[in-house]
Amino acid sequence: MRVLVTGGAGFIGSHIVGALRRRGHEPVVMDALLPAAHPGPARPPEPADVEFVRADVRDAEAVRAALRGVEAVCHQAAMVGLGKDFGDAAAYVGCNDLGTAVLLGEMAAAGVRALVLAGSMVVYGEGRYDCPAHGVVRPAPRRVEDLGAGRFEPNCPACGAGLTPGLVTEDAPVDPRNVYATTKLAQEHLAASWARCVDGRTLSLRYHNVYGPGMPRDTPYAGVASFFRSSLARGEAPRVYEDGAQRRDFVHVRDVAAANVTALEALGTRAAGTAAAYNTGSGDPHTVGEMATALATAHGGPAPVVTGEFRLGDVRHITADSTRLRHDLGWRPEITFTAGMTEFAHAEQRSPGGDPSLAGV
């Protein structure tokens, strides 16, 4: 199968390209090599026999050309992370939502009817919480005054009691709480609308905290695992926000790449005009503090420092129930938390010089 991978020179995209090649598929990489993901001199990915188109998904003419002969699209191109401040909002909406709309429009014209989308767990906002008196509840966004006073845990909106975090399923209400999250939800809605209008098939994989070899470093758009790994590489202690007890699901990038290939291969079995979303996580939640400690220990120190600092827009706990993806598509994560963090503690990161080579090929 000939597959267009947008953002295919990026962190996750490059691993998907490698996984596609190993499964006998023909990937075509389209990537703008934007400085946020590829700082420094931009150059085409390796190996040279992978077809590469340097273009932005907002460039309709370039997308049209890249779609020739393509049977499916794996859409990874996006601005990620929380960015620096709300001044990034226009850039996020432009890259993520306008880019997706242009891509879908050209797919409709070209007759390409299969799409796997890089979704995100951030569409849920806060995760699932249970109150002893009121059952499942949805806490309001955390207040600055609470965070500043070190009160990080959300409370029951009805009685103020402490809550127990749990696993979020795909049928949970969505509640994006920052600009990035809002754009990721809009991408899903655009893809679902496209599928209905053109009798297409689309699956969104709602990634949890993806980490692994090839993560970019020294950029405000990278994930928390990358920040910690970069600190350790400089001989500095990882700085853990809040109290480090935030729960996340850290899933290895090779497992995520495998999920994308599995989803692409499953699209042909789906009814025309359908869209679905799948949580894509390891199923083994850990706290941010535990992750920082595991990385530091495997790297040989220094030990993490818990700062009490916070970022508005961050949620406290968000962990996935990925049962549906395992049941429907037969995907299983293979890399354990300990093995993955041990590998990542010594793995290469994308340097400020910008190395967009295809990791995992």
Side-chain angles (χ1 to χ4, degrees):
M1 177 167 54
R2 184 173 167 87
V3 180
L4 176 63
V5 184
T6 69
F11 166 48
I12 298 175
S14 62
H15 282 275
I16 292 170
V17 169
L20 283 167
R21 285 165 59 88
R22 289 190 293 273
R23 291 275 274 267
H25 299 293
E26 179 187 358
V28 177
V29 173
M30 182 176 186
D31 201 302
L33 302 182
L34 297 177
H38 305 277
R43 55 187 182 272
E46 300 289 342
D49 62 343
V50 173
E51 185 175 339
F52 174 66
V53 179
R54 183 177 181 181
D56 194 300
V57 289
R58 290 167 289 187
D59 182 342
E61 185 176 348
V63 172
R64 193 175 310 131
L67 285 170
R68 293 192 185 106
V70 163
E71 300 163 73
V73 173
C74 187
H75 185 31
Q76 305 295 312
M79 282 185 68
V80 299
L82 285 181
K84 299 174 183 176
D85 51 44
F86 202 83
D88 285 336
Y92 274 104
V93 172
C95 286
N96 297 358
D97 297 339
L98 176 59
T100 299
V102 171
L103 173 66
L104 293 172
E106 293 302 323
M107 289 175 65
V112 180
R113 298 292 183 262
L115 172 72
V116 171
L117 174 68
S120 175
M121 54 83 182
V122 295
V123 301
Y124 298 116
E126 286 284 354
R128 175 192 169 105
Y129 292 89
D130 291 282
C131 170
H134 297 94
V136 177
V137 297
R138 294 188 62 78
R142 296 182 295 170
R143 301 182 306 169
V144 174
E145 51 267 38
D146 288 333
L147 295 171
R151 296 187 293 269
F152 302 120
E153 294 290 346
N155 295 317
C156 176
C159 67
L163 301 172
T164 301
L167 299 180
V168 178
T169 58
E170 290 88 347
D171 54 2
V174 291
D175 184 19
R177 296 193 174 185
N178 55 61
V179 172
Y180 170 64
T182 302
T183 65
K184 296 307 290 183
L185 182 57
Q187 284 183 306
E188 288 194 2
H189 288 319
L190 286 165
S193 178
W194 165 84
R196 289 190 296 269
C197 289
V198 304
D199 285 337
R201 300 168 175 86
T202 182
L203 297 177
S204 175
L205 300 180
R206 291 175 174 170
Y207 302 158
H208 279 247
N209 290 73
V210 186
Y211 74 97
M215 286 192 85
R217 65 179 176 90
D218 299 327
T219 165
Y221 303 95
V224 64
S226 178
F227 294 153
F228 293 166
R229 176 68 180 82
S230 297
S231 295
L232 290 166
R234 296 190 299 268
E236 301 171 0
R239 294 178 61 81
V240 180
Y241 280 11
E242 301 186 16
D243 59 0
Q246 312 93 301
R247 287 168 57 84
R248 298 290 188 268
D249 186 320
F250 299 99
V251 58
H252 197 279
V253 67
R254 288 198 296 274
D255 284 331
V256 170
N260 274 271
V261 178
T262 299
L264 284 162
E265 293 174 342
L267 283 171
T269 66
R270 296 283 166 148
T274 59
Y278 288 102
N279 289 334
T280 307
S282 70
D284 182 26
H286 289 269
T287 69
V288 172
E290 288 170 343
M291 186 268 285
T293 298
L295 269 181
T297 299
H299 190 271
V305 174
V306 177
T307 68
E309 298 170 1
F310 61 89
R311 297 191 305 178
L312 285 178
D314 277 347
V315 297
R316 179 61 173 172
H317 305 293
I318 175 68
T319 52
D321 182 343
S322 300
T323 303
R324 186 177 295 178
L325 180 59
R326 292 159 171 73
H327 178 269
D328 288 5
L329 302 188
W331 170 83
R332 296 288 188 280
E334 297 182 354
I335 301 170
T336 65
F337 175 80
T338 300
M341 290 298 167
T342 299
E343 176 200 32
F344 185 47
H346 302 282
E348 292 294 326
Q349 291 178 276
R350 290 169 184 256
S351 70
D355 180 8
S357 60
L358 291 178
V361 173

